[in-house]
Amino acid sequence: MTLIDQLGTVHTFEKTPKRIVSLVPSQTELLCDLGLEENLVGITKFCVHPYYLKATKTKVGGTKKVHFEKIRLLEPDVIICNKEENTKEIVEKLSEICPVWVTDILTIEDNFQMISDFGQLFNRRVEAKKWLDKLAFSLQDFKYFIVKQPVKKVAYFIWKNPYMVAGSTNYIQELLSLNHFDNVFSSTPRYPEITVEQLEQEKPELILLSSEPYPFKKEDAHELQLLFPDTSIVLVDGEMFSWYGSRLLKAFDYFKMLHANLK
């Protein structure tokens, strides 16, 4: 079986990989939803869905720092990584243990491709097709819903001290755009640091404070509200905006609720 991952790396497997290490929380969730929970032998400390997984699987570190020896001892058949979540250096070192399948998700189409790829890689084609059908239906339904929503100028915060926001060339930007949220920092790639002065210049109508990677709280919203009294500031579930895979299905319902509360 020869397959190509989303970085263009060609992988050849003599048989379907059975022992999986996943170093990406959202992809761990997807693997479970594809019926591969028993095949997962190693996960990160950030793999919190399903919630009980951390108690039943070996934790091999985080997404940026991993325990290579722990992973080697698990004797995996494949390691699942992501271009943004895991560094090139980590992927190269892990490649000495076994094949490393790297995903690269910037768009919803990329997300669909990953699910399809996993269906082939792990012989879960039927399960993958079911998820793709559900997601395609829900995406179309959401597009009908969002047509009636006004476009709002938005800043999406991911970090504090220094303030960092979502720019372009990332999955968050894709979902902001889907939601009719015009990202005021979309001219800057990735996750730029910004100042309060820059935010004043951009004049967003809405500031979204994500729950991850920095866990913004009500006091953070209050702090910004004092600086921007005329701007709506909302705490949002970062998993819904940044987790790809099967999480997108729950995200559509969450987005509808978010828009209802913005009115």
Side-chain angles (χ1 to χ4, degrees), residues 166-183:
S168 61
T169 60
N170 57 56
Y171 186 65
I172 294 172
Q173 166 63 17
E174 172 88 343
L175 294 192
L176 289 174
S177 179
L178 179 69
N179 276 280
H180 281 192
F181 293 149
D182 178 16
N183 183 359

PDB file of all heavy atoms in Angstrom, residues 166-183:
ATOM      1  N   ALA A 166      -4.775  35.579  15.466  1.00  0.00           N
ATOM      2  CA  ALA A 166      -4.742  34.762  14.251  1.00  0.00           C
ATOM      3  C   ALA A 166      -4.643  35.684  13.051  1.00  0.00           C
ATOM      4  O   ALA A 166      -5.427  36.627  12.915  1.00  0.00           O
ATOM      5  CB  ALA A 166      -5.998  33.907  14.161  1.00  0.00           C
ATOM      6  N   GLY A 167      -3.642  35.444  12.205  1.00  0.00           N
ATOM      7  CA  GLY A 167      -3.527  36.166  10.949  1.00  0.00           C
ATOM      8  C   GLY A 167      -4.080  35.302   9.827  1.00  0.00           C
ATOM      9  O   GLY A 167      -5.105  34.636   9.992  1.00  0.00           O
ATOM     10  N   SER A 168      -3.381  35.285   8.696  1.00  0.00           N
ATOM     11  CA  SER A 168      -3.828  34.453   7.582  1.00  0.00           C
ATOM     12  C   SER A 168      -3.044  33.135   7.564  1.00  0.00           C
ATOM     13  O   SER A 168      -2.257  32.870   8.471  1.00  0.00           O
ATOM     14  CB  SER A 168      -3.621  35.205   6.263  1.00  0.00           C
ATOM     15  OG  SER A 168      -2.247  35.491   6.087  1.00  0.00           O
ATOM     16  N   THR A 169      -3.256  32.358   6.531  1.00  0.00           N
ATOM     17  CA  THR A 169      -2.577  31.062   6.319  1.00  0.00           C
ATOM     18  C   THR A 169      -2.651  30.152   7.548  1.00  0.00           C
ATOM     19  O   THR A 169      -1.650  29.628   8.009  1.00  0.00           O
ATOM     20  CB  THR A 169      -1.103  31.252   5.887  1.00  0.00           C
ATOM     21  OG1 THR A 169      -0.385  31.977   6.894  1.00  0.00           O
ATOM     22  CG2 THR A 169      -1.020  31.965   4.557  1.00  0.00           C
ATOM     23  N   ASN A 170      -3.839  30.025   8.089  1.00  0.00           N
ATOM     24  CA  ASN A 170      -4.074  29.042   9.149  1.00  0.00           C
ATOM     25  C   ASN A 170      -5.554  28.637   9.121  1.00  0.00           C
ATOM     26  O   ASN A 170      -6.380  29.290   8.478  1.00  0.00           O
ATOM     27  CB  ASN A 170      -3.663  29.582  10.530  1.00  0.00           C
ATOM     28  CG  ASN A 170      -4.360  30.868  10.885  1.00  0.00           C
ATOM     29  OD1 ASN A 170      -5.585  30.936  10.891  1.00  0.00           O
ATOM     30  ND2 ASN A 170      -3.590  31.911  11.179  1.00  0.00           N
ATOM     31  N   TYR A 171      -5.863  27.558   9.809  1.00  0.00           N
ATOM     32  CA  TYR A 171      -7.222  26.997   9.797  1.00  0.00           C
ATOM     33  C   TYR A 171      -8.224  27.929  10.489  1.00  0.00           C
ATOM     34  O   TYR A 171      -9.385  28.003  10.097  1.00  0.00           O
ATOM     35  CB  TYR A 171      -7.195  25.633  10.489  1.00  0.00           C
ATOM     36  CG  TYR A 171      -8.483  24.852  10.429  1.00  0.00           C
ATOM     37  CD1 TYR A 171      -8.995  24.398   9.223  1.00  0.00           C
ATOM     38  CD2 TYR A 171      -9.171  24.531  11.600  1.00  0.00           C
ATOM     39  CE1 TYR A 171     -10.175  23.655   9.178  1.00  0.00           C
ATOM     40  CE2 TYR A 171     -10.338  23.785  11.560  1.00  0.00           C
ATOM     41  CZ  TYR A 171     -10.834  23.344  10.351  1.00  0.00           C
ATOM     42  OH  TYR A 171     -12.002  22.609  10.312  1.00  0.00           O
ATOM     43  N   ILE A 172      -7.757  28.662  11.506  1.00  0.00           N
ATOM     44  CA  ILE A 172      -8.641  29.610  12.201  1.00  0.00           C
ATOM     45  C   ILE A 172      -9.175  30.644  11.217  1.00  0.00           C
ATOM     46  O   ILE A 172     -10.372  30.957  11.213  1.00  0.00           O
ATOM     47  CB  ILE A 172      -7.915  30.305  13.374  1.00  0.00           C
ATOM     48  CG1 ILE A 172      -7.567  29.290  14.468  1.00  0.00           C
ATOM     49  CG2 ILE A 172      -8.776  31.427  13.966  1.00  0.00           C
ATOM     50  CD1 ILE A 172      -6.681  29.836  15.573  1.00  0.00           C
ATOM     51  N   GLN A 173      -8.290  31.161  10.354  1.00  0.00           N
ATOM     52  CA  GLN A 173      -8.708  32.148   9.357  1.00  0.00           C
ATOM     53  C   GLN A 173      -9.800  31.569   8.449  1.00  0.00           C
ATOM     54  O   GLN A 173     -10.755  32.261   8.093  1.00  0.00           O
ATOM     55  CB  GLN A 173      -7.498  32.591   8.546  1.00  0.00           C
ATOM     56  CG  GLN A 173      -7.810  33.359   7.261  1.00  0.00           C
ATOM     57  CD  GLN A 173      -8.513  34.686   7.511  1.00  0.00           C
ATOM     58  OE1 GLN A 173      -8.503  35.204   8.622  1.00  0.00           O
ATOM     59  NE2 GLN A 173      -9.129  35.233   6.474  1.00  0.00           N
ATOM     60  N   GLU A 174      -9.669  30.312   8.084  1.00  0.00           N
ATOM     61  CA  GLU A 174     -10.683  29.661   7.247  1.00  0.00           C
ATOM     62  C   GLU A 174     -12.051  29.663   7.927  1.00  0.00           C
ATOM     63  O   GLU A 174     -13.077  29.979   7.308  1.00  0.00           O
ATOM     64  CB  GLU A 174     -10.244  28.215   6.960  1.00  0.00           C
ATOM     65  CG  GLU A 174     -11.282  27.364   6.266  1.00  0.00           C
ATOM     66  CD  GLU A 174     -11.247  27.437   4.741  1.00  0.00           C
ATOM     67  OE1 GLU A 174     -10.643  28.370   4.195  1.00  0.00           O
ATOM     68  OE2 GLU A 174     -11.832  26.546   4.097  1.00  0.00           O
ATOM     69  N   LEU A 175     -12.071  29.360   9.225  1.00  0.00           N
ATOM     70  CA  LEU A 175     -13.349  29.293   9.930  1.00  0.00           C
ATOM     71  C   LEU A 175     -13.892  30.682  10.260  1.00  0.00           C
ATOM     72  O   LEU A 175     -15.108  30.883  10.304  1.00  0.00           O
ATOM     73  CB  LEU A 175     -13.218  28.435  11.195  1.00  0.00           C
ATOM     74  CG  LEU A 175     -12.925  26.951  10.926  1.00  0.00           C
ATOM     75  CD1 LEU A 175     -13.092  26.131  12.192  1.00  0.00           C
ATOM     76  CD2 LEU A 175     -13.817  26.381   9.826  1.00  0.00           C
ATOM     77  N   LEU A 176     -13.009  31.640  10.478  1.00  0.00           N
ATOM     78  CA  LEU A 176     -13.466  33.028  10.649  1.00  0.00           C
ATOM     79  C   LEU A 176     -14.171  33.495   9.379  1.00  0.00           C
ATOM     80  O   LEU A 176     -15.261  34.066   9.429  1.00  0.00           O
ATOM     81  CB  LEU A 176     -12.291  33.952  10.967  1.00  0.00           C
ATOM     82  CG  LEU A 176     -11.641  33.811  12.352  1.00  0.00           C
ATOM     83  CD1 LEU A 176     -10.404  34.698  12.442  1.00  0.00           C
ATOM     84  CD2 LEU A 176     -12.616  34.147  13.462  1.00  0.00           C
ATOM     85  N   SER A 177     -13.552  33.246   8.255  1.00  0.00           N
ATOM     86  CA  SER A 177     -14.125  33.645   6.972  1.00  0.00           C
ATOM     87  C   SER A 177     -15.469  32.962   6.729  1.00  0.00           C
ATOM     88  O   SER A 177     -16.430  33.596   6.280  1.00  0.00           O
ATOM     89  CB  SER A 177     -13.143  33.300   5.848  1.00  0.00           C
ATOM     90  OG  SER A 177     -13.669  33.656   4.598  1.00  0.00           O
ATOM     91  N   LEU A 178     -15.548  31.679   7.053  1.00  0.00           N
ATOM     92  CA  LEU A 178     -16.798  30.938   6.907  1.00  0.00           C
ATOM     93  C   LEU A 178     -17.916  31.583   7.725  1.00  0.00           C
ATOM     94  O   LEU A 178     -19.080  31.596   7.322  1.00  0.00           O
ATOM     95  CB  LEU A 178     -16.590  29.486   7.372  1.00  0.00           C
ATOM     96  CG  LEU A 178     -17.811  28.577   7.319  1.00  0.00           C
ATOM     97  CD1 LEU A 178     -18.216  28.273   5.880  1.00  0.00           C
ATOM     98  CD2 LEU A 178     -17.532  27.262   8.070  1.00  0.00           C
ATOM     99  N   ASN A 179     -17.560  32.153   8.867  1.00  0.00           N
ATOM    100  CA  ASN A 179     -18.523  32.767   9.782  1.00  0.00           C
ATOM    101  C   ASN A 179     -18.846  34.231   9.463  1.00  0.00           C
ATOM    102  O   ASN A 179     -19.486  34.913  10.262  1.00  0.00           O
ATOM    103  CB  ASN A 179     -17.999  32.673  11.216  1.00  0.00           C
ATOM    104  CG  ASN A 179     -18.308  31.353  11.871  1.00  0.00           C
ATOM    105  OD1 ASN A 179     -19.419  31.142  12.331  1.00  0.00           O
ATOM    106  ND2 ASN A 179     -17.331  30.440  11.901  1.00  0.00           N
ATOM    107  N   HIS A 180     -18.395  34.712   8.299  1.00  0.00           N
ATOM    108  CA  HIS A 180     -18.583  36.134   7.936  1.00  0.00           C
ATOM    109  C   HIS A 180     -17.844  37.061   8.901  1.00  0.00           C
ATOM    110  O   HIS A 180     -18.275  38.191   9.133  1.00  0.00           O
ATOM    111  CB  HIS A 180     -20.065  36.510   7.865  1.00  0.00           C
ATOM    112  CG  HIS A 180     -20.725  36.065   6.604  1.00  0.00           C
ATOM    113  ND1 HIS A 180     -21.976  36.492   6.221  1.00  0.00           N
ATOM    114  CD2 HIS A 180     -20.314  35.220   5.611  1.00  0.00           C
ATOM    115  CE1 HIS A 180     -22.299  35.927   5.058  1.00  0.00           C
ATOM    116  NE2 HIS A 180     -21.306  35.151   4.680  1.00  0.00           N
ATOM    117  N   PHE A 181     -16.746  36.560   9.475  1.00  0.00           N
ATOM    118  CA  PHE A 181     -15.898  37.387  10.323  1.00  0.00           C
ATOM    119  C   PHE A 181     -14.704  37.849   9.486  1.00  0.00           C
ATOM    120  O   PHE A 181     -13.860  37.035   9.090  1.00  0.00           O
ATOM    121  CB  PHE A 181     -15.406  36.609  11.545  1.00  0.00           C
ATOM    122  CG  PHE A 181     -16.490  36.244  12.524  1.00  0.00           C
ATOM    123  CD1 PHE A 181     -16.398  35.071  13.285  1.00  0.00           C
ATOM    124  CD2 PHE A 181     -17.598  37.064  12.714  1.00  0.00           C
ATOM    125  CE1 PHE A 181     -17.386  34.738  14.197  1.00  0.00           C
ATOM    126  CE2 PHE A 181     -18.595  36.735  13.627  1.00  0.00           C
ATOM    127  CZ  PHE A 181     -18.491  35.558  14.368  1.00  0.00           C
ATOM    128  N   ASP A 182     -14.656  39.135   9.211  1.00  0.00           N
ATOM    129  CA  ASP A 182     -13.582  39.715   8.411  1.00  0.00           C
ATOM    130  C   ASP A 182     -12.394  39.996   9.331  1.00  0.00           C
ATOM    131  O   ASP A 182     -12.404  40.951  10.104  1.00  0.00           O
ATOM    132  CB  ASP A 182     -14.091  41.002   7.751  1.00  0.00           C
ATOM    133  CG  ASP A 182     -13.022  41.703   6.929  1.00  0.00           C
ATOM    134  OD1 ASP A 182     -12.001  41.054   6.614  1.00  0.00           O
ATOM    135  OD2 ASP A 182     -13.198  42.891   6.619  1.00  0.00           O
ATOM    136  N   ASN A 183     -11.385  39.144   9.253  1.00  0.00           N
ATOM    137  CA  ASN A 183     -10.219  39.225  10.135  1.00  0.00           C
ATOM    138  C   ASN A 183      -9.392  40.469   9.807  1.00  0.00           C
ATOM    139  O   ASN A 183      -8.811  40.578   8.726  1.00  0.00           O
ATOM    140  CB  ASN A 183      -9.379  37.955   9.956  1.00  0.00           C
ATOM    141  CG  ASN A 183      -8.178  37.903  10.878  1.00  0.00           C
ATOM    142  OD1 ASN A 183      -7.933  38.821  11.656  1.00  0.00           O
ATOM    143  ND2 ASN A 183      -7.415  36.826  10.791  1.00  0.00           N
TER     144      ASN A 183
END
